[in-house]
Amino acid sequence: MRLYIEKKDLEHLLENKSEYIGNNITWDTIFAAFSFLLSALTANYDSFFMIPSIIIKYFL
């Protein structure tokens, strides 16, 4: 599905929402990173194509 928007409307939208565009790190980003690390480090992995699970867990 394609969304067609006029150039003038797009420029207006970008001007109004410019504070949300960029590399701002907020608390939800930090929480998501912490949650991902916690789940990845506490997960149990099986061997995969003869690669031991300890290598999969800590190096891949």
Side-chain angles (χ1 to χ4, degrees):
M1 182 176 142
R2 285 194 158 220
L3 178 65
Y4 293 101
I5 187 169
E6 295 288 329
K7 185 176 180 180
K8 185 183 247 200
D9 294 335
L10 179 62
E11 289 173 354
H12 181 66
L13 181 65
L14 291 174
E15 286 175 8
N16 287 342
K17 302 297 180 182
S18 63
E19 68 269 8
Y20 299 111
I21 300 171
N23 293 328
N24 297 336
I25 298 177
T26 58
W27 67 271
D28 58 337
T29 307
I30 295 169
F31 180 74
F34 178 73
S35 174
F36 172 76
L37 285 176
L38 185 64
S39 64
L41 292 176
T42 59
N44 292 326
Y45 297 96
D46 293 332
S47 295
F48 183 72
F49 287 118
M50 298 176 57
I51 300 173
S53 61
I54 194 76
I55 293 176
I56 293 171
K57 186 170 186 175
Y58 291 110
F59 296 110
L60 298 180

